[in-house]
């Protein structure tokens, strides 16, 4: 058995030590001043992370709960929304919207590709009754990144709300809500935020709040207006929050933001370069082409290689836990998560375990210097001047 395990899954992700220690603390009472101070401090950092001047609501649920809360609080049954669907989580938007009895128009991209902003624009022009566009920033099932900035600009022009599942993007790549004109941005605790699962965070734009004020949510628990009012008024949630997750959040935000947001994104981009270079150097196919996420790298396995065997070998022999493909890509993809408290050595271990796993499954992977090449790409990505790297800032 390997001595150490490495969680390279796209959530849950490894936790930094200060976060683990914070989670071990005894309970605070959620209506007393000590906890309220923590809530308010976390708010400041959350606004920075989300790039918004408005409140960022903590919700007691996994990420999907926040997706449902967004749909129920922003749209009335019978309203028409457009779902940009490029994978499993895009499908989930469609299912949630259907459960809310919305009329769903679906715009799909093949798995591995992103839905283009111009296609969304065309649909919106064709059908002015559409009141919202629901999409993922990073589609975790395929490792694809959607052009959220362009989509939000289109939606602004055509007076439609942009609702973004940023669960595998917030804290991993720039997604400045106010600047890009996003109307709803949400995430979960167990990915970029380096916390256990169970907490979600959600923010709305001023025009989305106006829409929410006119919408009967039909929810007792996930009433975003009431949550906003208690958060901004009293620094509290309406019901008992997951106290230790909030205490951990305060710690994880301090840990994440200690060198500034730019350093957060630069680190993520460099890890992505490390993973992608290594995968290509092994002669394997990257599943996401031009539009790739910064927290996950998906690898298309050679024909005839059993993905389950590769993953089992990586876990049992090398202690590296990665994810497989979902739905029709089961057994065909390996998804290397590089989210949360993960560093270059973890990702290098992931590449090595992948290489060895493929050998074990009867395949052969390319050049032997894939580790040197991937580490060189990582180092270069950390040091290239800002002008030659993608934007690491919120602007
Ligand atoms: C993980 C993930 C989800 C699901 O979140 P849960 O916390 O499991 O509810 C939804 N969307 C995306 C993009 C994800 O990465």
């Amino acid at each position: 058995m390997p001595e150490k395990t490495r969680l390279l899954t796209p959530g849950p992700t490894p936790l930094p030590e200060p976060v683990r220690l914070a989670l071990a603390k005894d309970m605070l009472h959620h209506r007393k001043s000590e906890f309220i101070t923590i809530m308010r401090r976390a708010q400041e950092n959350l606004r920075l992370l989300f790039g918004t001047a408005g409140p960022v609501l903590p919700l007691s649920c996994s990420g999907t709960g926040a997706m449902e809360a967004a749909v129920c609080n922003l749209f009335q049954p019978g309203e028409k929304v457009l779902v940009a669907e490029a994978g499993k989580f895009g499908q989930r938007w469609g299912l949630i919207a259907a459960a809310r009895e919305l009329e769903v128009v679906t715009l799909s991209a093949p798995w591995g590709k992103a839905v283009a902003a111009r296609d969304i624009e065309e649909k919106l022009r064709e059908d002015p009754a559409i009141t919202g566009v629901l999409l993922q920033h990073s589609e975790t099932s395929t490792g694809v990144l959607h052009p959220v900035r362009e989509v939000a600009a289109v939606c602004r022009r055509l007076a439609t709300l942009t609702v973004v599942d940023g669960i595998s993007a917030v804290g991993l790549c720039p997604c400045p809500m106010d600047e890009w004109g996003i109307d709803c941005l949400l995430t979960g605790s167990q990915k970029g935020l380096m916390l256990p699962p169970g907490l979600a965070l959600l923010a709305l734009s001023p025009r989305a709040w106006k829409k929410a004020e006119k919408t009967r949510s039909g929810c007792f628990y996930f009433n975003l207006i009431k949550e906003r009012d208690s958060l901004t008024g009293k620094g509290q949630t309406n019901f008992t929050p997951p106290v230790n997750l909030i205490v951990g959040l305060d710690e994880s935000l301090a840990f994440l933001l200690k060198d500034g947001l730019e350093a957060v994104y630069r680190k993520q981009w460099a890890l992505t370069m490390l993973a992608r270079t290594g995968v290509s150097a092994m002669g394997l196919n990257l599943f996401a082409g031009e539009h790739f996420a910064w927290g996950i790298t998906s690898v298309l396995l050679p024909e005839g290689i059993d993905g389950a065997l590769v993953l089992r070998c990586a876990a049992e022999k090398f202690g590296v836990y990665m994810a497989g493909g979902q739905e029709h890509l089961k057994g065909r993809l390996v998804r290397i998560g590089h989210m949360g408290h993960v560093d270059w050595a973890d990702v290098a271990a992931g590449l090595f375990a992948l290489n060895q796993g493929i050998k074990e499954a009867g395949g052969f992977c390319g050049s032997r210097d894939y580790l040197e090449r991937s580490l060189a790409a990582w180092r270069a990505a950390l040091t290239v001047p800002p002008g030659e790297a993608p934007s690491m800032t919120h602007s």
Side-chain angles (χ1 to χ4, degrees):
M1 274 302 278
E3 185 168 320
K4 189 167 175 178
T5 58
R6 291 173 202 267
L7 207 52
L8 298 187
T9 45
T13 61
L15 313 180
E17 179 156 304
V19 172
R20 296 202 304 269
L21 293 175
L23 291 167
K25 287 185 181 170
D26 201 359
M27 281 302 106
L28 295 173
H29 192 271
H30 57 290
R31 306 287 180 218
K32 304 288 188 235
S33 68
E34 202 181 349
F35 184 74
I36 291 167
T37 303
I38 291 173
M39 282 281 279
R40 293 204 194 276
R41 188 166 56 220
Q43 268 307 296
E44 305 254 312
N45 278 332
L46 282 170
R47 284 179 198 192
L48 191 67
L49 184 64
F50 275 58
T52 185
V56 182
L57 311 183
L59 302 174
S60 312
C61 54
S62 81
T64 307
M67 293 168 74
E68 179 154 36
V71 167
C72 292
N73 282 266
L74 290 173
F75 306 103
Q76 208 71 66
E79 268 187 73
K80 199 185 267 192
V81 293
L82 176 68
V83 171
E85 183 210 284
K88 177 130 182 119
F89 294 106
Q91 289 173 351
R92 186 167 301 173
W93 270 136
L95 295 170
I96 293 170
R100 174 64 170 159
E101 296 178 355
L102 305 186
E103 197 179 323
V104 180
V105 178
T106 307
L107 193 56
S108 312
W111 288 39
K113 299 271 187 294
V115 178
R118 65 175 178 280
D119 294 340
I120 291 176
E121 175 160 17
E122 196 176 300
K123 271 271 190 270
L124 293 179
R125 288 195 189 281
E126 252 169 44
D127 197 343
I130 294 171
T131 55
V133 173
L134 316 181
L135 78 166
Q136 273 58 43
H137 191 194
S138 152
E139 172 50 78
T140 320
S141 63
T142 62
V144 160
L145 198 70
H146 270 125
V148 165
R149 181 183 205 154
E150 286 78 9
V151 173
V154 163
C155 291
R156 284 268 140 172
R157 279 203 299 281
L158 300 175
T160 301
L161 296 181
T162 315
V163 180
V164 178
D165 164 2
I167 299 176
S168 62
V170 171
L172 298 161
C173 63
C175 193
M177 197 179 156
D178 291 359
E179 200 182 309
W180 287 5
I182 295 166
D183 294 295
C184 173
L185 180 63
L186 59 93
T187 191
S189 51
Q190 78 275 27
K191 305 201 180 178
L193 284 173
M194 309 175 288
L195 287 166
L199 179 69
L201 298 151
L202 177 150
L204 298 184
S205 68
R207 66 175 190 162
W209 280 117
K210 281 208 191 84
K211 180 94 193 304
E213 275 155 13
K214 289 186 299 197
T215 305
R216 267 179 44 88
S217 78
C219 292
F220 175 76
Y221 190 73
F222 290 113
N223 186 319
L224 297 184
I225 303 283
K226 286 192 175 158
E227 285 299 334
R228 175 195 62 186
D229 292 347
S230 28
L231 185 68
T232 53
K234 302 179 288 183
Q236 297 186 23
T237 50
N238 271 327
F239 308 102
T240 316
V243 171
N244 60 341
L245 288 179
I246 302 263
V247 172
L249 173 70
D250 181 38
E251 210 54 61
S252 82
L253 289 168
F255 184 88
L256 185 71
L257 297 170
K258 62 184 182 306
D259 299 320
L261 261 182
E262 206 172 323
V264 171
Y265 301 137
R266 170 80 70 163
K267 174 201 146 169
Q268 279 309 128
W269 185 61
L271 289 179
T272 307
M273 292 301 112
L274 194 165
R276 290 178 69 84
T277 304
V279 168
S280 297
M282 278 186 233
L284 298 171
N285 287 317
L286 291 161
F287 191 60
E290 186 189 350
H291 300 284
F292 54 86
W294 293 16
I296 182 165
T297 296
S298 46
V299 184
L300 186 64
L301 293 171
E303 278 305 326
I305 296 294
D306 173 7
L309 190 60
V310 174
L311 292 177
R312 192 166 349 111
C313 170
E316 287 176 2
K317 289 208 171 145
F318 304 104
V320 174
Y321 290 80
M322 296 178 285
Q326 291 162 299
E327 312 265 316
H328 64 282
L329 294 169
K330 218 173 166 67
R332 300 284 301 118
L333 279 193
V334 168
R335 293 179 301 139
I336 309 170
H338 29 89
M339 300 178 186
H341 189 46
V342 164
D343 71 0
W344 64 271
D346 296 317
V347 182
L351 290 171
F352 180 74
L354 171 65
N355 184 286
Q356 298 296 302
I358 291 176
K359 271 192 194 150
E360 179 96 356
F364 172 72
C365 300
S367 110
R368 293 177 132 193
D369 62 354
Y370 67 92
L371 284 176
E372 281 87 341
R373 285 162 67 184
S374 54
L375 291 175
W378 170 71
R379 236 176 276 115
L382 284 177
T383 51
V384 288
E388 292 163 36
S391 176
M392 302 291 162
T393 62
H394 271 182
S395 52

